[in-house]
Amino acid sequence: MKHRILIVSSANIDFVQRMARLPQQGETVLESASCKYVAGGKGSNSAVTFARLGADAVFCAKVGRDENGARLKRIYGEEGIDTRFVFQDAESPTGLASILVEEEDGANRIIVYPGANGTLSAENVEEAFTCYPDGVFVQLEIPDEAVFAAARFARENDIPLFVDAGPVRPGFSLENLGRAEILSPNETECAALTGIVPDSVENCLKAAIHLAGVTETKYVVIKLGSRGSFVYDGKYYHLVPGHKVQAVDTTAAGDVFTAALSYAYLQKGDILEAARFATYAAALSVTKEGAVPSVPTLQQVKDFAAEMRESGR
Ligand code: RIB
């Protein structure tokens, strides 16, 4: 079944530089291996993931009335994403992320200038709900009022809500989210939201119990990077292992994971199967450069999963 997913989130252009080593404070490094402008933003990465996996993706976001905004809208259109609710703000520029990627292991450091993302309003979100979604996916790279409006409209209309808790937001009131089907933070976000670093099974469980209690969440899924993910259903927990791949660029892997998890969960309602599927999708994304350019298609995830199973990895 083709589900309609409303993604309420952010849109950025990513300025990406790959380098052998990061500069120290006060140092200028003249060794950047490459630099590119690519489509990114946690929302873009997630919307493209839903679309490439085969969902009917409707994106609610705000870009500037500028060249970057027009470029992003064109890219979404080419991906088959519904852009009726990608609003354009006349006052602020399209969001911009500066990303440094280390060549050795693909690890990144990101700083975001939110620009037009910071003007996404509750009214914009309300308008987007006229698309009658089967699921609502939200991330925290937009104003609180937009996040909470999405959560409220989802609750009032009995639509499953999927929350990717990225990026870390100091002072964010999780309890205002109310009910969620899945809440998925990464390790840094988990530590910021709970004060517990998820570095052991015991700590993952403590953090997951805390998160499930604060938000009335059915499933808490903590993303543990290459270690996999920790899935908690309110009673039992499971560790879903990661896969060994040659990491080229980890940017967007978390966005791909949570979107693929939500997609697969909506398809079959099986959280563990969904987490395994999402792990394949995210692992595949880190083998490619860039944010949106690294998002795999459904067929690529299936082929990769078959290959990994055959090789016993
Ligand atoms: O999660 C990766 C994304 O974070 C990047 O694409 C960047 O735009 C920031 O939003």
Side-chain angles (χ1 to χ4, degrees), residues 12 14 40-42 45 97 99 110 112 141 251-252 255 291:
N12 295 329
D14 290 354
K42 295 185 189 302
N45 306 336
I99 306 185
I110 304 179
V112 175
E141 207 169 42
T251 310
D255 309 326

Side-chain angles (χ1 to χ4, degrees), residues 89-109:
D89 189 75
E91 310 292 324
S92 19
T94 297
L96 183 76
S98 298
I99 306 185
L100 304 182
V101 179
E102 290 179 82
E103 294 231 278
E104 194 187 346
D105 57 0
N108 64 36
R109 281 171 174 71

Side-chain angles (χ1 to χ4, degrees), residues 27 73 84 92 97 104 106 116 119 123 152 159 170-171 175 186 190-191 199 203 206 209 212 237 246 259 274 309:
E27 184 192 12
K73 280 193 88 167
R84 277 176 298 156
S92 19
E104 194 187 346
T119 66
E123 289 73 34
R152 188 172 69 249
I159 303 168
E175 55 275 16
N186 68 15
C190 177
D199 54 2
N203 283 345
K206 275 189 200 156
I209 290 172
Y237 70 84
Q246 182 65 48
R309 277 194 295 264

Side-chain angles (χ1 to χ4, degrees), residues 6-299:
L6 174 62
I7 300 104
V8 180
S9 188
S10 58
N12 295 329
I13 286 289
D14 290 354
F15 173 57
V16 191
Q17 292 196 76
R18 296 181 66 79
M19 53 198 58
R21 67 179 182 89
L22 297 169
Q24 306 289 322
Q25 192 176 34
E27 184 192 12
T28 301
V29 174
L30 261 178
E31 295 162 17
S32 184
S34 70
C35 77
K36 277 184 195 148
Y37 287 95
V38 299
K42 295 185 189 302
S44 310
N45 306 336
S46 307
V48 170
T49 301
F50 279 112
R52 289 192 184 167
L53 292 178
D56 180 2
V58 183
F59 194 18
C60 174
K62 194 79 105 29
V63 295
R65 199 173 288 285
D66 51 21
E67 231 176 81
N68 282 343
R71 179 179 168 202
L72 285 174
K73 280 193 88 167
R74 198 173 52 247
I75 291 170
Y76 305 146
E78 285 163 6
E79 294 288 342
I81 295 168
D82 183 338
T83 60
R84 277 176 298 156
F85 310 106
V86 177
F87 303 97
Q88 285 182 288
D89 189 75
E91 310 292 324
S92 19
T94 297
L96 183 76
S98 298
I99 306 185
L100 304 182
V101 179
E102 290 179 82
E103 294 231 278
E104 194 187 346
D105 57 0
N108 64 36
R109 281 171 174 71
I110 304 179
I111 182 154
V112 175
Y113 172 71
N117 292 301
T119 66
L120 190 69
S121 65
E123 289 73 34
N124 297 145
V125 177
E126 183 171 14
E127 196 180 329
F129 268 75
T130 55
C131 76
Y132 295 105
D134 302 308
V136 176
F137 181 92
V138 71
Q139 289 160 307
L140 312 186
E141 207 169 42
I142 50 174
D144 283 5
E145 72 162 87
V147 173
F148 296 139
R152 188 172 69 249
F153 295 133
R155 192 168 57 245
E156 286 169 3
N157 293 289
D158 217 10
I159 303 168
L161 175 71
F162 302 97
V163 182
D164 180 323
V168 164
R169 288 272 304 275
F172 181 77
S173 308
L174 248 195
E175 55 275 16
N176 287 351
L177 276 177
R179 199 175 67 215
E181 198 73 11
I182 298 178
L183 171 64
S184 185
N186 68 15
E187 291 158 283
T188 318
E189 293 144 10
C190 177
L193 291 167
T194 65
I196 304 165
V197 179
D199 54 2
S200 65
V201 171
E202 199 191 347
N203 283 345
C204 283
L205 184 58
K206 275 189 200 156
I209 290 172
H210 176 96
L211 290 169
V214 173
T215 56
E216 293 171 49
T217 294
K218 193 164 173 191
Y219 299 107
V220 174
V221 181
I222 304 173
K223 294 176 270 193
L224 301 171
S226 59
R227 290 187 288 139
S229 59
F230 181 92
V231 179
Y232 175 66
D233 67 5
K235 192 170 178 190
Y236 300 107
Y237 70 84
H238 299 268
L239 274 170
V240 175
H243 302 293
K244 277 206 174 66
V245 289
Q246 182 65 48
V248 172
D249 183 351
T250 55
T251 310
D255 309 326
V256 169
F257 179 92
T258 317
L261 175 79
S262 309
Y263 165 85
Y265 175 77
L266 265 178
Q267 289 292 113
K268 294 198 183 157
D270 182 329
I271 191 70
L272 285 181
E273 198 180 316
R276 285 186 205 105
F277 175 82
T279 308
Y280 286 123
L284 196 48
S285 81
V286 307
T287 65
K288 298 204 185 100
E289 281 184 34
V292 161
S294 73
V295 174
T297 62
L298 181 60
Q299 194 54 50

